C-alpha cells in the first residue's frame, strides 16, 4: 500500500518566482515596441493635449479672467455668476458623453477625427477671443463648444483603445495607456496654468494638431467587428 501523502494546503494560485518578476520600466519598454500600444499611448496623450482637463480645472479662473475689465464685471458679473457660467461646460460635457454612446459604434475613426478637428478649431478661436478681450459670454460659449466637440469623440474613444490589444498584453497595455494619460494630464494642466490664456489655448491647438496628425494614418476602424478581429488590426 502506498504511504499516506502529506497534508496538502488548499489550492491557491502559485506566486511568481522572484526571477520571473520583470521590472516595470523594462515591461513598459517591451510594450512600447508594439505598434498598437504606441498608438494607444499617443491617443491618450492627445486626449490631455486637447486641454480638456485644463478647461475643467481652471474654468472659473478662465471665465473670471475673460470677464474682468468688461462692463459686465462692473454690473451683474459677481462671483456667483462666474461660478454658474463656469458650470456650463461641465453640463455640456455630461450631455456630450451620452451622445458619444450613439456615435462610437457608427465609426470610431470618423467620430474621432471629427471630434479632433472641431476641438482644434475651437481652441484656436478661443485663443483669439482671449487675445481680443472679447468678454465673458463669448469665452463661455467657446469653452462649451470645445467641450461639446471633445466629448463626443476624444472623450470616450481613447478608453476603447484596449480593444486593439492582443489578449496576452491587454491588461498591462491598458494600464500603461492610463498611466500615460494621467501623466500628460498633470503636465499639460500645470503648464496651462502658468501662461497667458490666449497663448495656452493656441499651444493646445498646435499640440493637438501635431499629435493628431501622427494618428490619422495609424488609427484603424474597429466598429462593427469582433474583439478578436480588432486585436489583430495593428499587430
Amino acid at each position: 500500500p502506498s504511504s499516506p501523502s502529506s497534508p496538502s494546503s488548499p489550492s491557491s494560485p502559485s506566486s511568481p518566482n522572484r526571477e520571473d518578476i520583470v521590472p516595470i520600466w523594462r515591461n513598459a519598454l517591451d510594450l512600447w515596441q508594439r505598434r498598437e500600444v504606441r498608438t494607444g499611448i499617443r491617443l491618450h496623450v492627445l486626449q490631455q493635449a486637447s486641454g480638456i482637463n485644463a478647461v475643467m480645472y481652471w474654468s472659473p479662473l478662465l471665465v473670471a479672467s475673460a470677464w474682468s475689465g468688461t462692463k459686465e464685471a462692473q454690473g451683474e458679473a459677481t462671483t456667483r455668476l462666474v461660478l454658474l457660467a463656469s458650470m456650463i461646460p461641465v453640463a455640456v460635457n455630461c450631455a456630450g458623453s451620452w451622445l458619444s454612446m450613439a456615435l462610437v459604434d457608427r465609426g470610431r475613426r470618423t467620430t474621432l477625427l471629427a471630434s479632433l478637428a472641431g476641438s482644434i478649431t475651437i481652441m484656436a478661436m478661443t485663443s483669439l477671443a482671449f487675445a481680443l478681450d472679447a468678454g465673458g459670454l463669448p469665452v463661455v460659449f467657446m469653452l462649451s463648444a470645445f467641450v461639446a466637440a471633445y466629448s463626443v469623440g476624444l472623450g470616450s474613444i481613447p478608453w476603447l483603445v484596449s480593444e486593439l490589444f492582443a489578449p496576452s498584453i491587454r491588461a498591462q497595455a491598458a494600464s500603461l495607456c492610463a498611466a500615460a494619460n494621467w501623466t500628460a494630464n498633470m503636465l499639460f494642466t500645470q503648464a496651462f496654468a502658468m501662461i497667458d490664456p490666449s497663448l495656452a489655448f493656441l499651444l493646445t491647438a498646435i499640440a493637438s494638431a501635431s499629435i493628431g496628425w501622427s494618428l490619422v494614418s495609424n488609427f484603424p476602424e474597429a466598429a462593427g467587428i469582433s474583439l478578436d478581429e480588432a486585436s489583430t488590426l495593428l499587430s
Side-chain angles (χ1 to χ4, degrees), residues 198-231:
S198 178
L199 179 60
F201 283 111
L202 179 61
L203 291 178
T204 56
I206 294 173
S208 296
S210 300
I211 301 172
W213 179 258
S214 69
L215 283 170
V216 170
S217 60
N218 292 326
F219 193 74
E221 181 55 73
I225 63 176
S226 69
L227 194 60
D228 288 338
E229 291 174 309
S231 65

Side-chain angles (χ1 to χ4, degrees), residues 121-133:
T121 301
I122 299 169
M123 281 287 100
M125 294 172 64
T126 307
S127 172
L128 184 61
F130 271 101
L132 298 177
D133 292 326

Side-chain angles (χ1 to χ4, degrees), residues 99-224:
L99 177 60
S100 177
M101 295 174 59
L103 296 177
V104 291
D105 281 336
R106 297 186 180 185
R108 304 215 199 319
R109 177 184 169 88
T110 303
T111 303
L112 177 64
L113 294 181
S115 175
L116 177 60
S119 297
I120 293 172
T121 301
I122 299 169
M123 281 287 100
M125 294 172 64
T126 307
S127 172
L128 184 61
F130 271 101
L132 298 177
D133 292 326
L137 290 178
V139 166
V140 171
F141 175 79
M142 291 293 182
L143 293 179
S144 301
F146 159 69
V147 171
Y150 161 89
S151 60
V152 297
L154 278 172
S156 59
I157 293 176
W159 299 106
L160 301 177
V161 76
S162 59
E163 65 188 353
L164 302 179
F165 305 149
S168 59
I169 66 164
R170 185 169 293 145
Q172 291 183 335
S175 298
L176 180 60
C177 288
N181 186 293
W182 287 106
T183 301
N185 173 24
M186 178 187 68
L187 295 176
F188 281 108
T189 53
Q190 292 304 315
F192 194 99
M194 293 188 291
I195 56 181
D196 179 78
S198 178
L199 179 60
F201 283 111
L202 179 61
L203 291 178
T204 56
I206 294 173
S208 296
S210 300
I211 301 172
W213 179 258
S214 69
L215 283 170
V216 170
S217 60
N218 292 326
F219 193 74
E221 181 55 73

